[in-house]
Amino acid sequence: MSASGGVILIENANPLRAQTIQAIEAARHECVAVEDLAEAMAEARRQRPLMLMLDCSSFMPAEESTLTRLQELRRMVGAPLVLLANLETPTEFIESLNQMGADDCLLKPLRQHQLQPRFEVAATATPRVSPAALGRLGPKVVSLLHGRQNFAWRTGELLEQSGYHVRYGSFEDEHEPPPESNIELHILCAASREELAQVLRLRHPEETRAGSRWFLICPGGPGELVTHSGGGLVAGFDMAQVFPEHVVQKANAWFSRVSNALQPEARVPFFCPVEYREAGNLFGDWNSCYSYDLSPGGIFLRTLVPARPGAAVELKIHLTTHRTELRGSGVVAWANTYAQRKAFSHPVGMGVQFLGMSPKGLSLLRELCGVDPTARDKPE
């Protein structure tokens, strides 16, 4: 693989794979095509790629073991993972790949105006942000340690979207540093009460500064483990009784944060391919990405190259399950480009607040969000 970095394309051999390779090489990046994750792992060990691309149709449906190997590859490489999808790709499959760390989604066939900006973002070094610097900038910092991947990952995403900076860690990390003195909220998300007890013996909550809070989460709740914190403030949650949205609500209450119109409590997980372009430009190129949250007021899109905040955009939301397309317009409320999810992080992508949509589209949107379609709009 070239010194400037190339692409590992994970796609079964088929007549269309040559078109994908040609598009990548036309963007002046080497492409190594492999047919399975074992080959991808071996290639990644030889030299770190600039980007991973996974063809969804080559892995549907995916077994749990396949998703686990993909997650290991994503963690080892550290480069962005971009999905290659089409309008037949099931939403459930995109959701599974989102949980494995997918950063973006491109609709095939690939186009140059989509590829080149993504390569530029991936090639730009992301400066590391220290906890002290974050403290000066103002956002609250949350530590999230987990052994229960899906629940923790969703919680982290919602915290990020609410303006928090999240420091991720795993119970398996052998050299986990001691809790930072400026972190006010520590969240431990375990698969069992026994696992949680073991982690608490190693993390020593009593050594954190006075007034810091710990959220202990596991199936059945932490029980008597809430007394383990010494002088810290601890709240226990039964994973069978709460959702990640509830954890964010508790964090907001602890920090006395004021929710806005795009509050995570109003969102539902929502995964499908989405296209967007600058509003009013009838001849503008469509860019693609994928959605991961939806509310009656807006949609959250994961992409390495979001539009600038304040930009007006047109949207084509491809509801693959319903085999229909939902069109609308909106304004970009926030936007963040790619950053590593190790250490401190922020949401990658953009939040778009809806401005216009047909009555039929709005009714379907409310139905998807679990809102009564006949309810009248209320001011935010």
Side-chain angles (χ1 to χ4, degrees):
M1 195 163 289
S2 62
S4 60
V7 175
I8 294 180
L9 171 64
I10 312 169
E11 180 176 0
N12 290 339
N14 64 80
L16 299 179
R17 187 171 75 167
Q19 295 182 11
T20 302
I21 296 173
Q22 183 179 11
I24 295 170
E25 292 179 342
R28 300 181 179 179
H29 286 273
E30 182 180 349
C31 178
V32 177
V34 298
E35 296 190 20
D36 56 45
L37 294 173
E39 288 186 61
M41 194 81 73
E43 184 63 38
R45 289 193 181 99
R46 281 192 281 272
Q47 189 166 347
R48 180 184 178 277
L50 181 69
M51 185 177 293
L52 298 170
M53 287 189 176
L54 177 76
D55 177 64
C56 292
S57 61
S58 299
F59 290 86
M60 296 188 303
E63 298 179 353
E64 189 66 29
S65 59
T66 300
L67 295 175
T68 300
R69 287 196 298 272
L70 177 61
Q71 188 176 40
E72 293 173 356
L73 174 65
R74 174 68 174 82
R75 185 184 298 116
M76 182 187 78
V77 172
L81 171 61
V82 177
L83 309 179
L84 305 182
N86 55 50
L87 299 186
E88 302 298 322
T89 302
T91 58
E92 297 81 5
F93 190 67
I94 296 179
E95 180 178 6
S96 298
L97 295 176
N98 170 76
Q99 295 171 354
M100 297 305 107
D103 300 290
D104 207 338
C105 179
L106 293 177
L107 290 173
K108 299 176 73 174
L110 301 184
R111 297 175 175 84
Q112 289 301 306
H113 76 273
Q114 296 187 341
L115 285 174
Q116 195 58 46
R118 286 168 168 82
F119 288 144
E120 293 174 0
V121 167
T124 302
T126 304
R128 289 195 174 275
V129 181
S130 68
L134 289 176
R136 290 195 298 272
L137 293 174
K140 297 296 184 182
V141 182
V142 175
S143 170
L144 178 59
L145 294 173
H146 61 84
R148 188 73 174 226
Q149 179 68 29
N150 292 348
F151 189 98
W153 198 261
R154 175 66 179 164
T155 300
E157 282 190 337
L158 291 177
L159 287 166
E160 290 177 344
Q161 294 159 20
S162 299
Y164 295 93
H165 288 275
V166 182
R167 186 185 191 283
Y168 292 90
S170 170
F171 293 162
E172 290 76 26
D173 293 341
E174 296 180 0
H175 304 292
E176 178 68 22
E180 302 286 351
S181 60
N182 72 314
I183 296 180
E184 299 180 42
L185 176 60
H186 305 266
I187 302 175
L188 302 185
C189 184
S192 67
R193 189 175 297 176
E194 292 72 22
E195 182 181 51
L196 185 60
Q198 182 180 3
V199 172
L200 283 172
R201 286 194 292 270
L202 299 175
R203 303 298 172 178
H204 305 296
E206 65 275 6
E207 296 180 4
T208 57
R209 70 180 181 81
S212 63
R213 172 156 292 197
W214 291 70
F215 287 176
L216 309 182
I217 308 171
C218 67
E224 70 281 357
L225 296 177
V226 295
T227 62
H228 193 286
S229 62
L233 303 173
V234 173
F237 300 98
D238 181 353
M239 193 179 292
Q241 301 295 325
V242 301
F243 295 98
E245 289 79 1
H246 299 146
V247 178
V248 177
Q249 291 176 14
K250 296 295 184 182
N252 287 341
W254 168 242
F255 289 116
S256 300
R257 294 174 60 90
V258 178
S259 298
N260 57 25
L262 299 178
Q263 57 185 335
E265 295 86 343
R267 305 173 196 155
V268 294
F270 182 71
F271 301 89
C272 67
V274 176
E275 294 180 271
Y276 68 93
R277 71 178 179 185
E278 181 182 351
N281 186 357
L282 298 180
F283 301 101
D285 293 321
W286 289 94
N287 213 330
S288 55
C289 56
Y290 75 93
S291 66
Y292 58 102
D293 270 320
L294 179 71
S295 76
I299 190 168
F300 292 77
L301 305 174
R302 189 170 295 286
T303 175
L304 297 172
V305 287
R308 59 179 174 79
V313 293
E314 296 179 52
L315 299 172
K316 290 195 296 186
I317 305 171
H318 299 287
L319 306 177
T320 55
T321 302
H322 293 74
R323 296 187 178 276
T324 187
E325 176 185 290
L326 186 62
R327 283 184 175 253
S329 61
V331 61
V332 179
W334 60 262
N336 289 314
T337 53
Y338 174 73
Q340 292 287 346
R341 291 184 67 92
K342 295 180 180 179
F344 292 90
S345 181
H346 54 246
V348 180
M350 60 182 173
V352 178
Q353 188 167 4
F354 292 130
L355 293 180
M357 192 169 293
S358 68
K360 181 179 179 181
L362 184 59
S363 176
L364 178 57
L365 182 69
R366 289 181 174 276
E367 180 182 345
L368 293 171
C369 294
V371 177
D372 183 359
T374 63
R376 297 181 59 184
D377 291 337
K378 296 180 181 180
E380 299 288 353

